[in-house]
Amino acid sequence: MKSPLKLAALALVGTVTLASPAFATLKEGTQAPDFSAPAYLAGKAFTFNLADALKNGPVVVYFFPAAHTAGCNLEAHLFSQAIDQFKALHATVIGVTAGNTDQLADFSKETEHCSGKFPVAADVDAKIAREYDALLPMRPGWSDRTSYVIAPSGKITHVYSDLKPNKHVQETLDAVKALEK
C-alpha cells in the first residue's frame, strides 16, 4: 500500500510543479547577457544585436515557447497591438524563441501574430534562453514564457514569468513607463 501512496504523492508534486507559474532566476538589477541572433521583421531576415538596440532606449526581451502555438500567437498579437505605445517610450520589443524557429519568417509578418510590427529572433539550441534562465521546464529545448525589461545601461529592471500570455504586455509596458519617471 505504501507504493501507490508514494506514487500518488509524486504525481501530485509533479502536477503542482507543472501547473505553477515559472520563475525566472535572473534578478532585477543584474546585467543582462548580451546576445546577437538571427531574426525576422515582416518576413525579412536580419541579425538582432541587444547592445545595438540598447543604444536607442530600453529593450523588452520576451521569450516565448514556439511560433504558431495558441499562447504564443496570442502574446505576439497583444505585443503587436501595443507596439506604438512601446515605440512612444523609445523601447524596442524583441520576441525570442527556441521552438519552431523555421516558422519565424512567416510568424513575423502574419497579421494575426506579429503583423510585421516587431522582430522575433531564433534562439538556436536555446542558448539565449539558457543564459537568461528562461527554459521551459517541461520541454528544456524550448523557451519559457518570460519577459525582461532591460534599461539602456544593460541592467534588468523588470522580470515577469508566467505561462499565461495575457499579462506580459501590460507588465512590460508598465515597467518601461516606470523607467521614464
Side-chain angles (χ1 to χ4, degrees):
M1 195 71 177
K2 277 186 175 180
S3 202
L5 286 176
K6 283 183 182 178
L7 286 175
L10 285 173
L12 180 61
V13 168
T15 301
V16 169
T17 301
L18 290 177
S20 62
F23 295 100
T25 57
L26 289 186
K27 304 294 183 214
E28 293 176 11
T30 61
Q31 192 70 24
D34 191 21
F35 68 90
S36 291
Y40 298 89
L41 177 61
K44 305 235 183 313
F46 74 102
T47 299
F48 177 86
N49 181 279
L50 178 62
D52 289 343
L54 287 169
K55 293 174 186 173
N56 300 317
V59 176
V60 174
V61 177
Y62 88 88
F63 290 91
F64 62 100
H68 295 122
T69 59
C72 300
N73 294 348
L74 174 61
E75 185 177 27
H77 182 71
L78 293 172
F79 269 108
S80 74
Q81 288 181 318
I83 200 67
D84 289 336
Q85 295 175 66
F86 285 101
K87 286 180 178 179
L89 298 166
H90 309 288
T92 299
V93 172
I94 178 82
V96 179
T97 188
N100 296 343
T101 57
D102 59 325
Q103 299 175 28
L104 288 181
D106 288 337
F107 188 73
S108 74
K109 65 183 175 183
E110 294 164 342
T111 56
E112 64 274 24
H113 306 121
C114 303
S115 300
K117 294 183 178 182
F118 66 92
V120 286
D123 184 8
V124 180
D125 298 324
K127 181 180 178 240
I128 302 165
R130 195 170 292 105
E131 290 176 345
Y132 277 79
D133 291 324
L135 290 173
L136 192 61
M138 65 280 277
R139 193 162 184 178
W142 280 17
S143 322
D144 198 355
R145 190 174 319 282
T146 301
S147 298
Y148 289 93
V149 175
I150 305 167
S153 66
K155 297 283 186 192
I156 295 170
T157 62
H158 186 74
V159 182
Y160 182 73
S161 191
D162 190 341
L163 274 176
K164 295 176 188 169
N166 308 58
K167 294 183 181 177
H168 284 262
V169 171
Q170 194 60 55
E171 281 281 330
T172 56
L173 186 56
D174 289 346
V176 170
K177 286 177 182 175
L179 290 173
E180 293 285 306
K181 294 179 181 175

